[in-house]
Amino acid sequence: GTIYSTTGLGTEFYGVGTSIANGHRGLEYGDEIRLPSEGYVFTGLTFDYYSASLGGSAKLTLYSNDGPLINGSAAPGTKLLEVPNIGLSAGLNTASFDYTPYVSQFGEIKLPKAFTVTVSLSGASTTSDKGLLVGGAVNTAGRPNTNVGGSANDFWQKTGSGSGDWALRQLSSGTEANFKIAVSANIPQPTTVALGVVGAAFLGASARRRSRR
């Protein structure tokens, strides 16, 4: 099911262009998402974007937030997934990626408690050409069964080629800095944990009974 999404329905977007001079050399940017626990098995995601014209491509990347501390927060570090060459259409669009067909080849992706979804957009000559749509507030509908993930009012942006070249940004418009991204995963089954606890308790009781004989 959906473990993270946002509520925004507007057309505001954030683009970084492709110029090295503008300080966005890595071009990657996206949201850090925090889950209540580990064990969610990634199945896919969508992201909404704007493109002034047909052409260019997007690269989607998932990171574990186990990188160096930047302003007290662990930056994106270990790369969990990279999907290059996602074609872009003109206008407001949703790009979808389903990981399910790739599980047999590459294995399951178990999401850590903190991970970041970034997108980089090629073929943009200015910041107004292409960008991710702003999603605004985090969607909490359906908790604790769905939309369990949260995100702070900021986002990570790559600033260079090094592993520590990341910065936390906010939107100058004042809109809550979450992009229109939705992440899906198989939710851990609480019954498995509960049965394990019950089983452990039963074994403990049996051991105590035996020791009293």
Side-chain angles (χ1 to χ4, degrees):
T2 301
I3 60 170
Y4 174 82
S5 62
T6 55
T7 61
L9 298 174
T11 58
E12 179 184 354
F13 70 94
Y14 177 81
V16 298
T18 58
S19 171
I20 292 178
N22 67 15
H24 307 304
R25 290 166 290 182
L27 302 182
E28 289 183 61
Y29 60 103
D31 286 317
E32 177 180 342
I33 298 168
R34 291 188 169 272
L35 300 174
S37 65
E38 298 178 343
Y40 291 82
V41 179
F42 175 75
T43 57
L45 62 76
T46 65
F47 64 89
D48 286 19
Y49 68 91
Y50 168 78
S51 180
S53 59
L54 176 68
S57 64
K59 181 179 74 174
L60 168 70
T61 311
L62 264 66
Y63 294 93
S64 174
N65 278 79
D66 56 2
L69 288 178
I70 296 177
N71 295 330
S73 298
T78 302
K79 190 178 292 186
L80 304 174
L81 174 71
E82 183 176 282
V83 185
N85 302 319
I86 301 171
L88 300 179
S89 300
L92 301 172
N93 297 279
T94 299
S96 302
F97 174 72
D98 180 10
Y99 184 69
T100 307
Y102 302 97
V103 172
S104 59
Q105 182 178 358
F106 298 107
E108 292 183 337
I109 297 177
K110 291 189 176 181
L111 296 171
K113 289 184 69 174
F115 66 98
T116 293
V117 178
T118 70
V119 173
S120 60
L121 304 168
S122 70
S125 59
T126 70
T127 58
S128 62
D129 281 353
K130 304 179 191 298
L132 288 177
L133 260 63
V134 176
V138 171
N139 190 357
T140 60
R143 288 184 180 178
N145 299 311
T146 58
N147 287 312
V148 296
S151 182
N153 184 20
D154 54 25
F155 60 93
W156 288 104
Q157 187 164 295
K158 201 82 166 72
T159 58
S161 58
S163 61
D165 291 336
W166 290 93
L168 281 170
R169 307 281 199 221
Q170 290 186 314
L171 297 174
S172 58
S173 65
T175 307
E176 193 161 351
N178 297 308
F179 298 109
K180 198 161 182 57
I181 294 170
V183 181
S184 298
N186 289 328
I187 300 172
Q189 295 299 319
T191 52
T192 304
V193 177
L195 286 171
V197 172
V198 171
F202 178 77
L203 290 173
S206 299
R208 287 196 296 274
R209 283 198 297 272
R210 286 197 298 270
S211 66
R212 290 173 180 170
R213 293 177 181 175

